[in-house]
Amino acid sequence: MSIGNSPEDDRPSDDVRATTPPAVEQAHTPSDDRPSIGRVLRQAREDAGMTVDEVSTSTRVRIPIVQAIEEDDFSRCGGDVYTRGHIRTLARAVGADPEPLLAQFADEHGGRPAPTPAAPLFEAERIRSEPRRPNWTAAMVAAIVAVIGFVGFTAFGGSDDGAKQQAAEGATPASGKPKPTQTPKATKPTDPKPDPTDSAIAAAPRDKVTVKINAADGRSWISAKDHNGRIMFDGLLEQGESKTFQDSQKVDLVLGDAGAIQLYVNGKQVDNEFEAGQVERLTYTKGDPEVG
């Protein structure tokens, strides 16, 4: 007699049921296929055959900040406004289009932030110049020149007064014939004196570097140093004001709001594409601006 299998024999054993994994519902989340900003900048730099040191030298952005941006770490840039300026500067240096990167940064960080006043953020960068010792030699020379000038003026002035008095005492009475009245000559209007700043730009010597800064479109904090690192100016330039700096070798500039500034270097206007609120560090020498 054959023995048939019961319905219970067709059921999977407890061991089999324990090893069977339950169905897991996979959650699908949208992903952004765009490469990160730092990866794009690093790839563009490598394609251009440039090192981090070379990018830092050409853009005047410090090496740690360049490395941090290429790792998508924007915390060392000092805020969104300065991060956007660094991204734009680095992209142009390595031959990448900065606009898609700026749009991506705006998408990933909540849109475009309002411009931040530049002056308070740069308080820490201001360097106070050391007090200068009094130049006693120059003071003595100035005093001697003043004394000589006073003595000469007194001598020549006294002789002129004596001559006038002698001429008055020896004057003869006027004759009966009246002298014809002389028609006063029309004076030629004098030409207006040129602005000292414009004259300095127009007559910029070739053996020096001359830089004129004009706050044409708004106020901006600026800092200017000579080739020895000494500060020639450090402060706020109001709209409509201008400053001219001259040095034998180079002039280093920091512009808090480069978009509001017009630059004239060695008598020529420098075209720029700076945006409002953008911070720029610039250096000009006797050969700037380069032709071509």
Side-chain angles (χ1 to χ4, degrees), residues 122-132 213 221-236 243-247 250-254:
F122 280 86
E123 293 294 339
E125 295 188 6
R126 301 188 180 184
I127 303 175
R128 296 183 180 179
S129 58
E130 297 180 356
R132 298 182 179 179
I213 301 177
W221 174 85
I222 64 172
S223 175
K225 299 179 182 179
D226 61 12
H227 71 280
N228 290 321
R230 290 192 295 264
I231 295 179
M232 295 187 287
F233 181 81
D234 184 16
L236 191 64
K243 290 286 184 182
T244 301
F245 309 103
Q246 194 174 79
D247 187 71
K250 69 175 184 176
V251 174
D252 293 326
L253 299 176
V254 179

Side-chain angles (χ1 to χ4, degrees), residues 126-285:
R126 301 188 180 184
I127 303 175
R128 296 183 180 179
S129 58
E130 297 180 356
R132 298 182 179 179
R133 297 180 179 178
N135 191 340
W136 297 111
T137 302
M140 292 178 62
V141 171
I144 293 173
V145 171
V147 171
I148 294 176
F150 177 76
V151 172
F153 175 80
T154 303
F156 286 103
S159 60
D160 291 340
D161 293 341
K164 291 179 181 179
Q165 183 178 1
Q166 183 177 2
E169 292 175 354
T172 56
S175 59
K177 296 180 180 180
K179 294 182 179 180
T181 304
Q182 297 180 353
T183 305
K185 297 181 179 180
T187 58
K188 183 179 180 181
T190 57
D191 296 331
K193 295 183 179 180
D195 183 78
T197 303
D198 296 336
S199 300
I201 290 297
R206 295 185 177 180
D207 59 339
K208 294 183 179 180
V209 54
T210 304
V211 178
K212 176 185 176 182
I213 301 177
N214 182 22
D217 299 325
R219 60 190 304 188
S220 174
W221 174 85
I222 64 172
S223 175
K225 299 179 182 179
D226 61 12
H227 71 280
N228 290 321
R230 290 192 295 264
I231 295 179
M232 295 187 287
F233 181 81
D234 184 16
L236 191 64
L237 201 64
E238 296 290 341
Q239 183 175 5
E241 294 182 349
S242 62
K243 290 286 184 182
T244 301
F245 309 103
Q246 194 174 79
D247 187 71
S248 60
Q249 297 183 19
K250 69 175 184 176
V251 174
D252 293 326
L253 299 176
V254 179
L255 307 179
D257 186 358
I261 295 300
Q262 289 182 349
L263 289 176
Y264 299 87
V265 179
N266 296 326
K268 298 179 180 179
Q269 183 174 1
V270 177
D271 295 330
N272 59 66
E273 299 177 357
F274 304 142
E275 293 185 350
Q278 183 175 349
V279 180
E280 284 293 331
R281 290 174 170 85
L282 306 170
T283 299
Y284 293 106
T285 60

Side-chain angles (χ1 to χ4, degrees), residues 71-111:
E71 295 297 331
D72 295 304
D73 178 11
F74 306 110
S75 62
R76 307 189 63 173
C77 296
D80 289 354
V81 173
Y82 302 101
T83 301
R84 288 171 53 80
H86 290 326
I87 291 175
R88 183 184 301 277
T89 302
L90 295 179
R92 290 176 176 172
V94 299
D97 186 4
E99 297 305 326
L101 299 178
L102 294 174
Q104 182 175 349
F105 179 81
D107 295 339
E108 296 174 355
H109 294 79

